[in-house]
Amino acid sequence: MATKALDDGLTDSERIAPTQEDHSVSATTTPLSPKEQGDGKGESSASTSSDEASEDEGPGMKEAGGFEPLRANQSTPSMRPKLGKSQSRMTEDDIFRALSRRRTNTSATSVETEEDEQAEIEKLMSRMFGRSRQENSEEEKTRHVGVVFKNLTVKGMGLGASLQPTNGDIFLNLPRTIRALFTKGAAAAFGKPPVRNLLTEFTGSIRPGEMTLVLGRPGSGCSTFLKILGNQRFGFEDVQGEVTYGGTDAKIMAKDFRGEVLYNPEDDLHYATLSVKRTLEFALKTRTPGKDSRKQGESRADYVREFLRVVTKLFWIEHTLTTKVGNEYVRGVSGGEKKRVSIAEAMITKASVQAWDNSTRGLDASTALEYVQSIRSLTNMAHISTAVALYQAGESLYDLFDKVLLIDQGQCLYYGSADTAKKYFQDLGFDCPDRWTTADFLTSVSDEHERSIRPGFEHRIPRSAEQFAEAFKNSEVSKRNWEDIRDFEQQVESQRRERLSNQSKATQKKNYTIPFHRQVLACTHRQLLITLGDRASLVGKWGGIIFQALIVGSLFYNQPTTSDGVFTRGGCLFFILLFNALLALAELTSAFSSRPIMLKHKSFSFYRPSAYALAQTFLDVPLVLIQVFLFNIIVYFMSNLSRTASQFFISLLFVWIATMSMYAFFRAVGALCGSLDIATRITGVAIQALIVYTGYLIPPTKMRPWLGWLRWINPIQYGFEALMSNEFYNLDIQCEPPFLVPIGPDARPEYQSCLIQGSKPGQTTVSGADYIQTAFKYSRSHLWRNFGIISAFFIFFVALTMLGQELAKPNVGGGAVTIFKRGQAPKEIEEKLENATNAKTDEESGTSTTEELDIGRATNGGNVEKTQSMGGVAKNETIFTWTNVNYTIPFEGGERKLLQDVQGYVRPGKLTALMGASGAGKTTLLNTLAQRINFGVVTGDFLVDSRPLPKSFARATGFAEQMDVHEPTATVREALRFSALLRQPKEVPIEEKYDYCERIIDLLEMRGIAGATIGKVGSGLNQEQRKRVTIGVELASKPELLMFLDEPTSGLDSGAAFNIVRFLRKLADAGQAILCTIHQPSSVLFEHFDELLLLKTGGRVVYHGPLGHDSQHLIDYFDHNGAKRCPPDANPAEYMLEAIGAGNPDYKGPDWGDIWAKSEDHNKRTEEIQQMIELRRNAPLSKYLEDDREFAMPLSVQTMAVIKRDFVSYWRNPDYVVGKFMLHIFTGLFNMLTFLNLGRSSIDMQSRLFSIFMTLTISPPLIQQLQPQYLNFRDLFSSRERNSRIYSWVAFTTGAILVEIPYSIVAGSLYFVCWWFGSVGQHISSFASGYTYLLLILFELYYVGFGQAIASFSPNELLASLLVPIFFLFVVSFCGVVVPFQAIPYFWRSWMYYLSPFTYLLEGFLGVAVSGVEVQCAENEFARFPLPPEANTCQDYTATYRSQFGGLVQVASDGMCEFCQYANGDEFGKSFNVQYNRKWRDFGIFAAFVGFNFAVVFACSYLYLHGGKRIAQRIRGQKKG
């Protein structure tokens, strides 16, 4: 029925489905692999011509699209499963079952429905990949299929190891260089780091339709090989050898055909707020071929619609189309579904060569298999060459590959057929133990601890990677490789000629499928969808803008058009401009967060990065207009700016274009900078320049020539001139006291003047045009000139952004680096680092420094034999039991049960596995048992030796988390010592704790890396080493109850996973009780476990009990209860998951949860648990049960240990410290040079005020720098250390605060020296300088507390950084600078003015800066008026005014009276409500604000970390009571 319904819209020829006869068809332009031509293995020949095949299939076949049926290999059934290699073509039935996997274990499915759906899928595939599309597609005929690499060698910079940089390097690097110069010569002192081989002489080919498995340990060179294969060569020193794609050189491919080669990194990079459908539609729009490469009459929309149907049906994601992709913050599709979205994206590219890097990381076995099967189908159908790196490949995965490449230390150990790889190494003398997968066996041969050697071959096998590579070069397999390459190249040559004959102008270059303007349109539409997908952020941002607008509008409320409103009117316009411009600063963060996705799409050739830059700009046009309108309309009318339509809309236009130019500016900085840290430093200084050189703080006439030029390159300055001239050009300012001079009963208008610049003698009104001309040199005639200049800046910044993004390189390569603490690297590594720049010997001799400095080998130096003894590891005698455990969470207005009636136990000496499909509740149960759940309701009985859990339970148990969270700057030894010091009881001497750590280091074979800093992935320990550290940190605490481990093998290669499980086995044998969750275990790993707790979806137990030898007990249980029998060579771990329908939403078999609940085994386990509880009831209390302390060590010891670690962290983080110091130095010098040699004029008094105000504005960028430091400490504490009760929140908060203080004092001192003495501090008393220094240091402490207080209640860095400007503007707005004290509306002046800490800071700074300074007005600052005939002198005439307002009067040379507004600095200060005699009061109050900030940090840290939840629970408890 489904087929008939579908067929109604098809032609007769399209209705004919291909038959399932045993025929194999090859694309006319595609060379065949050797197996397809027949390699003597009995496989059916695939050399039938397309014409013959078409005739066999019948006339309808070719017309219907001619999709080649894929059939299973019939002659070698044991070699491959049904979903096979390209030469083993499958039937439609195979495609449907293997790809969709929808009917697995389903017996009740209608055969008719299944056949209908199979037919539909086959038709869909025919439409996209069948012969009719290939014949009609010029693009298909000109593809570069197949890849050949010959003698490929890749070189990278560095030794693979380096020394940990510290703050001491700032002072010691120069002496070290001088010493090296005299002791080792100029080459050692100034030479470049040496070059090392990352890959050495790789040779092979991947034909179209072939899949190659890339095997190797992390750091061996797998990612490097895949990047080179994907033509991503950025970051490598040199790439030698030959790589060709369909006969075309790699350089030509990169230049003209980059869209045909694809590298997919292991992370799934997608926009979280886009739905799956929108994500794939965008990819399709950018890769829809032109009319010549589409079917006749097929529109672009038709192509997108059809292809979307294909990929969603094939990879079974049609049910997720309307779901967001999601990320860690946005809820979306599952991990497996996200992987399939990535595959669908790659399929859309139709790239001829595809490289996939470790993409199964974190997937369970069933999802990983599904994922690789999807890539297999993509390879078969699109007839492409694929290379996939997998770190743990089960046999079912391995069987899907045609070829295998084994890499170790950058050497090629094997490249050839996957079928013969095992035999090759067996012939070399290695033995494959029973139940080992082929992949595990291959990776084990290069590991001296893992490999198994055949008797008699002990002294004949290769030992080093070089020996393996040499053996391979001399092997028959290598010779066959070269023969295969020569044969393939002959076919490629004919293919190349055919390709050239089919080439037209449209396909001469195939970098991007659609023209530039279409790329821009597609990107613009996508950016709109991304923005609308995150409506909460958009609405929140606009809500925040409206809130700020109301605050600012009320601050400048109803300004008069008299002289009282002149200064504030300029301030209001400046604020409007600046607020909107600084909102653009958030673009910096978003630019770096979205860059990886943009670079991935660049490497996929979806669009040019410049098209993306333009699209962002086009989307900004309406969004910024809305943002500016919301702010402007509120502030404009609340503050009583000129209310004419033309002036309002001109104001709106200029604020909009200025804001657009600032968005473009910050984007350009982000595009041109390599990291957010560098970009933040640049913008920190840039913001100062934008603010100061706008013309408001310093009039243009007073700008110093050495920095005055900055105003000409400041778009905000042109915007400010436009706004000021637009506002004042038709304004007549009525002069009122205190600006009207003089006043009194005898004063008459013709003998009065105005203190506002631009006034004329004898006039009490001032023209607004004269005021801006005299004060700022602004003119209304410049209005549209300024618009043009700002627009030009905008275009220039957009062009810079486009250039920066075009220059950005995706997937930059290079070797991983292990970083050692100076003096603690192993001796051989230390020597190499000392002689690091003597690289010539390595190059000349042709040896690889990889061999000489093999960190991986040197660091895991302990032999297994040496570490067999587990003596001294804490033994456990207690039994942990749990019964009737249920866990419920609130969900969509109701409740959802994640765990249902779970029971079990963990016994000493037993290694227990906790398993289940993704989403079954494994990690949830582990967290519940470890008492780490702080959300929802948990019920059940948790007992240790039949007693309730003690307070010490959390620290007496080890919990190794999946994510390996550690302090990155700590060395391995320091991390273990920190754990031992704070978690072992205080009665144990410190020396004994540290000795125990050394024992753990030896047990974990980490002696070589004990002095290495943990770092981050890529610059620090590798994945396996990090996992060892995680386990070591928990063991160092001497857990006397039990050990929990969450996914200890996730992300590791098979060898590393084996080492970890082998170590856990030894721990269990030594008496530890261990419970661990595990993904994708091979049968070898699974054999190490004693017991199993298996969960199904919904958190129900499916099996609990012993596994038995070869998992026989488990297999018998499933066999007796109706599951199919486990084959002898099957992996029991995969068998049991398949039996219960794990990962298969359409599973229709029996409910194994019900079967378990009714089974005899369940009853036995229940009885066992009750017996254990009874037996242990009378057991003597262990010391841990007696020790009921929450923390092992007192608070003082905790605090000192945390403070020490935090100081070490800062000492080893010179990037942050140098960044902090440089920002202080640059802004200090900038401030000083801006206000150098201040005089004594009235405007110089104002400059003193603004110089001090500038000092306050350095705090936002500094806060943005320090917040991530605090949040990193908090993340470490909250994710691991709090749960383990290592130390309390008080110790964490104290450490985070204290570590900032000394660096802030030094930074403040640097700023003071750079700023004070050259500007405001000239000709001033030593007391004033000393007081200013003390107040500045207090200000440094203030912003530290202020920034950390905001961070302490923020969930992440992004929100914390967004809150900084809001809080800062709120505090700075009411301090009396932006709006002078008398002009602040009474509502705010009566309370908010006194609540602003900057009020007291400013008064303290300004009071000592201007007190006692005589004012000498400049010529243009005097108010001039004639002396009335009846007045004797100018002094007498102005006496009444001066007694009331102060000021200075003198007689000009022409007899006119000249009045200066201020006689001295104290009068100037008084106009801002600043009094010198309140300086110590201000100091004390500001110090109290500093203390208040730190109190808020403590309070919010407590509430955020756990106090808030405790209080809420108590309130709920009281309500229930």
Side-chain angles (χ1 to χ4, degrees), residues 1131-1145:
N1131 180 353
E1134 292 180 5
Y1135 158 74
M1136 69 182 186
L1137 290 173
E1138 188 179 341
I1140 65 171
N1144 178 19

Side-chain angles (χ1 to χ4, degrees), residues 1268-1521:
Q1269 305 299 319
Y1270 171 89
L1271 290 169
N1272 288 340
F1273 285 146
R1274 190 183 72 185
D1275 290 345
L1276 176 62
F1277 174 70
S1278 61
S1279 63
R1280 183 171 66 83
E1281 294 174 336
R1282 175 186 61 179
N1283 294 325
S1284 299
R1285 302 296 187 271
I1286 302 180
Y1287 55 90
S1288 76
W1289 68 272
V1290 176
F1292 148 69
T1293 313
T1294 306
I1297 290 171
L1298 289 182
V1299 71
E1300 278 284 351
I1301 290 174
Y1303 290 102
S1304 295
I1305 291 172
V1306 174
S1309 303
L1310 289 171
Y1311 182 87
F1312 179 78
V1313 171
C1314 293
W1315 162 58
W1316 182 252
F1317 296 108
S1319 54
V1320 182
Q1322 275 189 325
H1323 317 300
I1324 212 162
S1325 70
S1326 57
F1327 167 78
S1329 295
Y1331 175 86
T1332 302
Y1333 173 73
L1334 288 176
L1335 198 55
L1336 184 66
I1337 297 303
L1338 209 56
F1339 170 63
E1340 289 284 331
L1341 301 184
Y1342 173 83
Y1343 82 71
V1344 168
F1346 186 73
Q1348 289 188 340
I1350 292 171
S1352 65
F1353 57 77
S1354 301
N1356 53 54
E1357 286 181 30
L1358 184 61
L1359 185 62
S1361 66
L1362 289 173
L1363 289 173
V1364 171
I1366 294 172
F1367 280 94
F1368 179 76
L1369 286 171
F1370 204 76
V1371 169
V1372 85
S1373 298
F1374 299 98
C1375 70
V1377 175
V1378 179
V1379 181
F1381 174 72
Q1382 294 298 336
I1384 298 174
Y1386 175 76
F1387 172 76
W1388 294 119
R1389 191 171 70 230
S1390 60
W1391 65 283
M1392 192 60 213
Y1393 173 78
Y1394 297 102
L1395 276 182
S1396 171
F1398 283 7
T1399 297
Y1400 307 98
L1401 179 65
L1402 188 86
E1403 185 172 34
F1405 275 139
L1406 190 61
V1408 298
V1410 300
S1411 180
V1413 178
E1414 288 187 13
V1415 176
Q1416 298 170 355
C1417 274
E1419 192 65 36
N1420 64 342
E1421 292 174 347
F1422 285 108
R1424 292 165 53 84
F1425 50 89
L1427 183 69
E1430 63 272 16
N1432 295 324
T1433 63
C1434 292
Q1435 280 81 3
D1436 292 341
Y1437 183 52
T1438 58
T1440 306
Y1441 179 92
R1442 285 185 293 113
S1443 64
Q1444 190 173 346
F1445 298 108
L1448 179 72
V1449 69
Q1450 65 183 40
V1451 181
S1453 56
D1454 58 359
M1456 298 279 278
C1457 294
E1458 292 184 331
F1459 186 82
C1460 182
Q1461 189 172 3
Y1462 310 112
N1464 53 56
D1466 293 291
E1467 288 184 1
F1468 173 78
K1470 196 175 178 182
S1471 67
F1472 287 90
N1473 197 34
V1474 170
Q1475 294 185 28
Y1476 174 75
N1477 59 11
R1478 296 202 292 241
K1479 58 185 176 298
W1480 289 114
R1481 182 208 72 165
D1482 296 331
F1483 189 91
I1485 293 174
F1486 190 67
F1489 273 109
V1490 173
F1492 173 76
N1493 281 346
F1494 289 129
V1496 171
V1497 178
F1498 273 97
C1500 290
S1501 295
Y1502 169 73
L1503 291 170
Y1504 183 90
L1505 289 167
H1506 66 175
K1509 286 167 185 167
R1510 284 187 180 178
I1511 292 167
Q1513 285 169 358
R1514 282 178 192 166
I1515 292 170
R1516 281 198 296 268
Q1518 287 172 359
K1519 283 181 179 177
K1520 287 177 182 176

Side-chain angles (χ1 to χ4, degrees), residues 878 944-945 947-948 950 952 1041 1181-1188:
T878 56
V944 173
D945 280 353
R947 297 173 182 88
S952 60
L1041 293 183
L1181 281 173
S1182 75
K1183 60 183 180 181
Y1184 266 92
L1185 286 172
E1186 290 177 339
D1187 177 8
D1188 210 27

Side-chain angles (χ1 to χ4, degrees), residues 1163-1180:
N1163 296 334
K1164 283 181 186 176
R1165 293 298 93 75
T1166 307
E1167 288 172 16
E1168 279 179 28
I1169 292 169
Q1170 294 307 318
Q1171 286 172 6
M1172 288 175 190
I1173 293 171
E1174 288 300 321
L1175 283 171
R1176 298 300 295 177
R1177 198 179 298 279
N1178 301 317

Side-chain angles (χ1 to χ4, degrees), residues 159 408-409 829 849-859:
L159 289 163
D408 186 48
Q409 298 178 51
I829 293 175
T849 46
T850 312
E851 175 193 356
E852 296 172 31
L853 222 171
D854 180 13
I855 307 301
R857 306 290 182 204
T859 54

Side-chain angles (χ1 to χ4, degrees), residues 718-740:
Y718 296 99
F720 185 64
E721 178 180 4
L723 291 182
M724 287 289 282
S725 61
N726 179 57
E727 177 65 25
F728 281 94
Y729 83 100
N730 62 352
L731 192 68
D732 286 326
I733 305 162
Q734 182 64 44
C735 212
E736 291 182 352
F739 295 94
L740 187 63

Side-chain angles (χ1 to χ4, degrees), residues 905-962:
Y905 53 79
V906 183
R907 296 182 286 181
K910 299 294 182 185
L911 182 56
T912 306
L914 173 56
M915 294 184 67
S918 295
K922 302 182 296 296
T923 302
T924 304
L925 177 58
L926 207 64
N927 283 315
T928 305
L929 297 179
Q931 309 301 303
R932 293 181 172 218
I933 296 291
N934 48 27
F935 174 71
V937 179
V938 176
T939 59
D941 296 318
F942 303 91
L943 303 173
V944 173
D945 280 353
S946 71
R947 297 173 182 88
L949 304 184
K951 275 189 185 176
S952 60
F953 179 79
R955 66 178 172 81
T957 54
F959 193 109
E961 305 216 8
Q962 182 180 350

